[in-house]
Amino acid sequence: MDIRVNKSDLRKVNKMFDKLDALGDKGVDMIIDKNGLLISRDIKLPPIPVDTGNLRNNVVYNAKDKAIESKAPYSGFLEFGTRFQKAQPYFFGKINLGLKRLMLDLNNAIKRSLR
Amino acid sequence: MKEPIRFIRQKIFTLLNGNVSYGGANIPVYNRVPSSQSEPYIIVSSADSAQTNQNQSDFIVECITRIEVVTSFFSDDGGELQVNDIVESILELIKTSTTDYFDLTSNNFNVFTSNINGVAYSNDDDDEKTYYRAIIDIANRVQQN
């Protein structure tokens, strides 16, 4: 089976890839960093359990690894609960919502660069 | 060059405020939600704006405005339907036709495209409630007169 590509269509496809290239790693990194910071800020808002504020202070965005971390050693106990205490989820719900926003932002950036 | 995104946000806010209801109750619209507000509510915020369609004579900006709908139910008392209905009401108010754009002539701007870039749904739980959310992104291209 032959697949024939029209030269003009090929040029259009190449042009689209060039436009996507223009968005570049820096543009995408900026969107990811922006959303990472927003998510970590969002996690620090209620319903995060606060007693001394140590858990809240230890929620950070690591721009190098593009990771949101809850560094308090007892973070998992609060998020998932233990046999001694019920779960007080504060982390993954906000992460999932933030990822939806991130996907929309990336979608917007890609659409904009392809126009 | 002027920044038109606030005028678009204002238009959307005016269109929605007092005009979206569910089960006979009006759904409040906010830019920043007061901590005492219970669900459901709508948040209108500016997501992004960037210069586009570069040319010699005009400033053209693409503005992305984000509308977020938040509903909640105690435990498993409800599902996604309420958020779907509210999103439908919002879209009916905002996109009345394929060629009807926001009128910003009094602010010296001309809106010439309006696209719903996407609607994303999500849900999450805390120890009492299940929250359902929808995020609508609207892209408007605006020319400065």
Side-chain angles (χ1 to χ4, degrees):
Chain A
M1 189 180 76
D2 284 354
I3 297 174
R4 290 168 189 239
V5 179
N6 182 324
K7 273 189 180 173
S8 138
D9 286 346
L10 187 63
R11 271 199 297 274
K12 281 179 191 165
V13 171
N14 282 332
K15 206 173 167 186
M16 277 188 164
F17 278 114
D18 287 346
K19 282 179 177 177
L20 274 178
D21 257 357
L23 178 62
D25 288 346
K26 275 190 182 170
V28 174
D29 277 358
M30 203 178 80
I31 293 169
I32 294 172
D33 287 345
K34 185 186 97 178
N35 278 277
L37 289 166
L38 281 175
I39 295 168
S40 59
R41 191 189 70 176
D42 209 16
I43 290 170
K44 288 167 190 256
L45 298 173
I48 189 169
V50 177
D51 182 12
T52 63
N54 184 55
L55 177 72
R56 194 169 51 193
N57 290 340
N58 276 290
V59 174
V60 291
Y61 174 64
N62 180 340
K64 192 180 160 208
D65 297 333
K66 309 280 176 241
I68 296 159
E69 298 166 341
S70 184
K71 290 185 167 179
Y74 50 86
S75 302
F77 302 148
L78 289 166
E79 178 73 16
F80 303 113
T82 68
R83 63 189 168 128
F84 302 113
Q85 63 179 62
K86 66 173 188 167
Q88 300 172 73
Y90 66 95
F91 195 77
F92 284 107
K94 302 281 180 81
I95 295 275
N96 290 334
L97 178 64
L99 286 176
K100 293 272 178 190
R101 290 197 187 111
L102 171 62
M103 274 160 54
L104 283 170
D105 282 351
L106 288 171
N107 183 30
N108 292 335
I110 290 167
K111 275 187 178 169
R112 181 178 286 154
S113 67
L114 286 179
R115 271 181 200 143
Chain B
M1 191 177 111
K2 291 177 181 170
E3 169 65 289
I5 201 161
R6 67 183 188 279
F7 298 118
I8 291 180
R9 197 175 66 231
Q10 190 182 32
K11 281 278 172 193
I12 293 174
F13 187 89
T14 312
L15 272 174
L16 301 183
N17 196 25
N19 295 321
V20 184
S21 58
Y22 187 84
N26 181 51
I27 297 175
V29 185
Y30 296 104
N31 180 239
R32 182 96 182 163
V33 185
S35 54
S36 57
Q37 178 63 48
S38 59
E39 300 78 15
Y41 55 79
I42 298 166
I43 306 166
V44 180
S45 61
S46 303
D48 190 12
S49 85
Q51 199 179 0
T52 181
N53 293 33
Q54 306 273 13
N55 68 34
Q56 285 187 326
S57 55
D58 296 313
F59 290 120
I60 294 174
V61 177
E62 185 181 62
C63 302
I64 295 178
T65 309
R66 187 161 284 172
I67 302 171
E68 206 167 319
V69 182
V70 185
T71 66
S72 73
F73 296 97
F74 281 102
S75 187
D76 54 359
D77 282 357
E80 247 183 321
L81 184 63
Q82 186 182 13
V83 80
N84 294 142
D85 282 347
I86 296 169
V87 166
E88 188 181 349
S89 306
I90 290 171
L91 293 180
E92 277 175 350
L93 286 166
I94 283 176
K95 290 288 280 183
T96 48
S97 80
T98 51
T99 53
D100 188 17
Y101 308 130
F102 298 122
D103 182 12
L104 296 184
T105 43
S106 59
N107 306 110
N108 294 323
F109 289 106
N110 170 35
V111 182
F112 62 95
T113 66
S114 180
N115 286 315
I116 306 293
N117 266 7
V119 183
Y121 291 95
S122 81
N123 62 303
D124 60 285
D125 304 275
D126 65 13
D127 52 352
E128 275 188 343
K129 290 179 174 178
T130 303
Y131 296 87
Y132 292 91
R133 297 169 203 268
I135 307 166
I136 308 165
D137 269 8
I138 302 168
N140 289 284
R141 290 200 170 193
V142 184
Q143 177 191 22
Q144 187 179 319
N145 291 330

